[in-house]
Amino acid sequence: MASSKLVGIVLLVVGIALLYFGYQSTQSVGDQISETLTGRFTDNTMWYLIGGAALIAAGGFLSFFRK
């Protein structure tokens, strides 16, 4: 297995974990109140979601589209 594919798989796993924690954070009482009052999730939750999506995209590219 090429090292770029291995790095891609690791990025995918970490990205999925970050999205999971971000989703769990969106379900918390504090985030629900924050979203209700401001229309946005907290900054930490957004960083989890954005970081997870970015890592999944990068990991998918490295794992499946790089030769």
Side-chain angles (χ1 to χ4, degrees), residues 28-46:
S28 71
V29 174
D31 251 325
Q32 291 290 323
I33 292 171
S34 175
E35 187 199 9
T36 301
L37 296 175
T38 64
R40 297 177 47 177
F41 291 116
T42 61
D43 288 341
N44 287 339
T45 300
M46 291 304 296

Side-chain angles (χ1 to χ4, degrees), residues 5-67:
K5 286 192 184 272
L6 183 61
V7 170
I9 291 170
V10 169
L11 289 176
L12 276 171
V13 171
V14 172
I16 290 170
L18 282 177
L19 275 180
Y20 173 76
F21 288 126
Y23 174 74
Q24 290 296 322
S25 181
T26 63
Q27 302 303 310
S28 71
V29 174
D31 251 325
Q32 291 290 323
I33 292 171
S34 175
E35 187 199 9
T36 301
L37 296 175
T38 64
R40 297 177 47 177
F41 291 116
T42 61
D43 288 341
N44 287 339
T45 300
M46 291 304 296
W47 279 115
Y48 280 128
L49 296 173
I50 292 168
L55 288 179
I56 287 175
F61 177 76
L62 288 175
S63 296
F64 301 116
F65 297 115
R66 286 281 302 234
K67 291 184 179 185

